[in-house]
Amino acid sequence: MESNAAPSSIGNGWDPDPSRSYSLSAEAYTESRFFDVDQRQIIGRSWQWICHGEKLRHPGSYLAETVAGMPIVALRTGAGELKAFYNVCQHRAHHLVEGEGTTRSLVCPYHAWTYDLDGRLTSARHTRHLTDFDTGSICLQPVQVEELGGLVFVNLDMAAPPLAEQSGDLAAEIAHWAPDVADLTFARRLNYEIRSNWKNVVDNFLECYHCHVAHKDFVSLVDMDTYRVTTHGIYSSHMAEAGKDANSAYDVSGATVTDHAVWWLWPNTALMRYPGRASLIVLKIIPVGPDLTHETYDFYLETAEPNEAEIESMRYLDEVLQVEDINLVESVQRGMSTPAFTQGRIVNDPGGSGLSEHALHHFHGLVLDAYAQSDRGSNSNQTGDVQ
């Protein structure tokens, strides 16, 4: 039987030393078989951001989301415990809830089977005549859920290590650079459809080698001489002084935050703190198809209504910076779909400056690790061996 897993050849040329390394092969960005592995082996087995902690702060609060194509619901129990389940009734597989809200129980809108907030079936209409039917033995299928740095994440892989364990010092960094995250509130969401593979979108986000060329306003906002990028186990931090002088991006004359603090968390979440008032922007990069990505930008501010400066900064991100970046990655996707490109060299600065692509190289290493696990799993399934 032919394996559907991603062959290791797409990493030919990748080297642990970024100064010697090439990027991933173009086929990893263009062929549907790689997208399938991305969904199953990367998105489906990693910690995925779903909301700010304020959304699930009170007992009975819930949020329905989709992760790697799977419906899930995260909630706060009456006892205050954070839990998550597949949003699938155990009777006939109907979704239990949609959107968000507050409830005392999960009632399926198909046949009214009812579950408590711990996922246990508590009642099922007209089942008293069934043989060997015990409501107490029926429960919703659980999903891992964890709160870190004031944000809620889920993982479909029940065997995955805890996020706090995997992410090392990330929570401490967020607490240091953005100590007010838990007090912020949702203000606005921006949505984008991008004709590009999701990995191209991540690649572009992880390097500022292109910034002087493509983002003239951004490099007037951020002091590129202070820009430093540091890679860690499953995340990277991107730090610079910013917003201290007049610039062409947006007005920062009243800014109380004068740093550009950004974290990328494997594989598709970014946390951003731009100059201005206290804030956090959460970027989620959602794979839709081999050449289609959905992006959401959620803005958490001191108040639900942005002030004039924040409206201006959102306009800059939406109408200038995002337009520039989307044009870049869509052009790259088109180029990768031609026979003219296979892979390119990683440009590395050993000093870790913002003009280096070492964070992109770090991401590619994690992708190759995930693909290797998929290869091993596929070979094991074919041979019947357990490795």
Side-chain angles (χ1 to χ4, degrees), residues 45-47 144 155 157-162 166:
R45 299 187 65 181
S46 60
W47 286 96
Q144 284 207 75
N155 195 325
D157 182 4
M158 293 300 292
Q166 289 190 50

PDB file of all heavy atoms in Angstrom, residues 45-47 144 155 157-162 166:
ATOM      1  N   ARG A  45      -2.622  17.805  16.180  1.00  0.00           N
ATOM      2  CA  ARG A  45      -1.865  17.276  17.314  1.00  0.00           C
ATOM      3  C   ARG A  45      -1.075  18.372  18.040  1.00  0.00           C
ATOM      4  O   ARG A  45      -0.112  18.081  18.745  1.00  0.00           O
ATOM      5  CB  ARG A  45      -0.910  16.169  16.842  1.00  0.00           C
ATOM      6  CG  ARG A  45      -1.630  14.983  16.209  1.00  0.00           C
ATOM      7  CD  ARG A  45      -0.680  13.844  15.904  1.00  0.00           C
ATOM      8  NE  ARG A  45      -0.123  13.280  17.129  1.00  0.00           N
ATOM      9  CZ  ARG A  45       0.763  12.275  17.141  1.00  0.00           C
ATOM     10  NH1 ARG A  45       1.202  11.775  16.002  1.00  0.00           N
ATOM     11  NH2 ARG A  45       1.217  11.805  18.275  1.00  0.00           N
ATOM     12  N   SER A  46      -1.490  19.601  17.859  1.00  0.00           N
ATOM     13  CA  SER A  46      -0.798  20.722  18.504  1.00  0.00           C
ATOM     14  C   SER A  46      -1.796  21.549  19.303  1.00  0.00           C
ATOM     15  O   SER A  46      -3.009  21.413  19.153  1.00  0.00           O
ATOM     16  CB  SER A  46      -0.110  21.601  17.450  1.00  0.00           C
ATOM     17  OG  SER A  46      -1.058  22.122  16.530  1.00  0.00           O
ATOM     18  N   TRP A  47      -1.276  22.445  20.118  1.00  0.00           N
ATOM     19  CA  TRP A  47      -2.125  23.301  20.941  1.00  0.00           C
ATOM     20  C   TRP A  47      -2.640  24.453  20.099  1.00  0.00           C
ATOM     21  O   TRP A  47      -1.865  25.224  19.549  1.00  0.00           O
ATOM     22  CB  TRP A  47      -1.353  23.800  22.154  1.00  0.00           C
ATOM     23  CG  TRP A  47      -1.168  22.708  23.160  1.00  0.00           C
ATOM     24  CD1 TRP A  47      -0.086  21.899  23.309  1.00  0.00           C
ATOM     25  CD2 TRP A  47      -2.128  22.280  24.137  1.00  0.00           C
ATOM     26  NE1 TRP A  47      -0.300  20.991  24.323  1.00  0.00           N
ATOM     27  CE2 TRP A  47      -1.551  21.208  24.853  1.00  0.00           C
ATOM     28  CE3 TRP A  47      -3.412  22.701  24.486  1.00  0.00           C
ATOM     29  CZ2 TRP A  47      -2.215  20.552  25.880  1.00  0.00           C
ATOM     30  CZ3 TRP A  47      -4.078  22.054  25.512  1.00  0.00           C
ATOM     31  CH2 TRP A  47      -3.476  20.992  26.204  1.00  0.00           C
ATOM     32  N   GLN A 144      -8.185  17.839  25.177  1.00  0.00           N
ATOM     33  CA  GLN A 144      -7.350  18.561  26.129  1.00  0.00           C
ATOM     34  C   GLN A 144      -7.606  20.060  26.029  1.00  0.00           C
ATOM     35  O   GLN A 144      -7.768  20.608  24.938  1.00  0.00           O
ATOM     36  CB  GLN A 144      -5.869  18.299  25.844  1.00  0.00           C
ATOM     37  CG  GLN A 144      -5.367  16.938  26.287  1.00  0.00           C
ATOM     38  CD  GLN A 144      -3.867  16.979  26.597  1.00  0.00           C
ATOM     39  OE1 GLN A 144      -3.458  17.496  27.638  1.00  0.00           O
ATOM     40  NE2 GLN A 144      -3.065  16.427  25.699  1.00  0.00           N
ATOM     41  N   ASN A 155      -6.208  20.877  22.477  1.00  0.00           N
ATOM     42  CA  ASN A 155      -5.393  19.938  21.708  1.00  0.00           C
ATOM     43  C   ASN A 155      -6.202  18.659  21.527  1.00  0.00           C
ATOM     44  O   ASN A 155      -6.636  18.049  22.507  1.00  0.00           O
ATOM     45  CB  ASN A 155      -4.075  19.647  22.436  1.00  0.00           C
ATOM     46  CG  ASN A 155      -3.042  18.977  21.551  1.00  0.00           C
ATOM     47  OD1 ASN A 155      -3.380  18.172  20.688  1.00  0.00           O
ATOM     48  ND2 ASN A 155      -1.787  19.313  21.760  1.00  0.00           N
ATOM     49  N   ASP A 157      -5.114  15.874  20.527  1.00  0.00           N
ATOM     50  CA  ASP A 157      -4.286  14.730  20.887  1.00  0.00           C
ATOM     51  C   ASP A 157      -4.262  14.574  22.401  1.00  0.00           C
ATOM     52  O   ASP A 157      -3.611  15.343  23.105  1.00  0.00           O
ATOM     53  CB  ASP A 157      -2.868  14.935  20.344  1.00  0.00           C
ATOM     54  CG  ASP A 157      -1.943  13.765  20.641  1.00  0.00           C
ATOM     55  OD1 ASP A 157      -2.418  12.755  21.210  1.00  0.00           O
ATOM     56  OD2 ASP A 157      -0.748  13.863  20.316  1.00  0.00           O
ATOM     57  N   MET A 158      -4.964  13.583  22.901  1.00  0.00           N
ATOM     58  CA  MET A 158      -5.052  13.393  24.343  1.00  0.00           C
ATOM     59  C   MET A 158      -3.722  12.934  24.954  1.00  0.00           C
ATOM     60  O   MET A 158      -3.552  12.971  26.171  1.00  0.00           O
ATOM     61  CB  MET A 158      -6.154  12.386  24.678  1.00  0.00           C
ATOM     62  CG  MET A 158      -7.552  12.885  24.352  1.00  0.00           C
ATOM     63  SD  MET A 158      -7.995  14.397  25.264  1.00  0.00           S
ATOM     64  CE  MET A 158      -8.113  13.778  26.946  1.00  0.00           C
ATOM     65  N   ALA A 159      -2.791  12.486  24.112  1.00  0.00           N
ATOM     66  CA  ALA A 159      -1.486  12.053  24.620  1.00  0.00           C
ATOM     67  C   ALA A 159      -0.444  13.162  24.579  1.00  0.00           C
ATOM     68  O   ALA A 159       0.690  12.960  25.020  1.00  0.00           O
ATOM     69  CB  ALA A 159      -0.993  10.854  23.808  1.00  0.00           C
ATOM     70  N   ALA A 160      -0.806  14.323  24.054  1.00  0.00           N
ATOM     71  CA  ALA A 160       0.159  15.416  23.937  1.00  0.00           C
ATOM     72  C   ALA A 160       0.557  15.942  25.312  1.00  0.00           C
ATOM     73  O   ALA A 160      -0.292  16.056  26.216  1.00  0.00           O
ATOM     74  CB  ALA A 160      -0.428  16.544  23.100  1.00  0.00           C
ATOM     75  N   PRO A 161       1.824  16.285  25.509  1.00  0.00           N
ATOM     76  CA  PRO A 161       2.237  16.891  26.776  1.00  0.00           C
ATOM     77  C   PRO A 161       1.514  18.210  27.011  1.00  0.00           C
ATOM     78  O   PRO A 161       1.092  18.870  26.056  1.00  0.00           O
ATOM     79  CB  PRO A 161       3.745  17.123  26.586  1.00  0.00           C
ATOM     80  CG  PRO A 161       4.146  16.194  25.491  1.00  0.00           C
ATOM     81  CD  PRO A 161       2.958  16.102  24.583  1.00  0.00           C
ATOM     82  N   PRO A 162       1.356  18.627  28.258  1.00  0.00           N
ATOM     83  CA  PRO A 162       0.687  19.894  28.557  1.00  0.00           C
ATOM     84  C   PRO A 162       1.374  21.065  27.869  1.00  0.00           C
ATOM     85  O   PRO A 162       2.592  21.070  27.684  1.00  0.00           O
ATOM     86  CB  PRO A 162       0.800  20.002  30.084  1.00  0.00           C
ATOM     87  CG  PRO A 162       0.988  18.596  30.558  1.00  0.00           C
ATOM     88  CD  PRO A 162       1.759  17.907  29.476  1.00  0.00           C
ATOM     89  N   GLN A 166       5.373  22.146  27.371  1.00  0.00           N
ATOM     90  CA  GLN A 166       5.998  22.272  26.057  1.00  0.00           C
ATOM     91  C   GLN A 166       6.536  23.680  25.791  1.00  0.00           C
ATOM     92  O   GLN A 166       7.535  23.850  25.082  1.00  0.00           O
ATOM     93  CB  GLN A 166       4.995  21.934  24.953  1.00  0.00           C
ATOM     94  CG  GLN A 166       4.613  20.477  24.831  1.00  0.00           C
ATOM     95  CD  GLN A 166       3.814  20.239  23.562  1.00  0.00           C
ATOM     96  OE1 GLN A 166       4.200  20.635  22.472  1.00  0.00           O
ATOM     97  NE2 GLN A 166       2.666  19.589  23.715  1.00  0.00           N
TER      98      GLN A 166
END
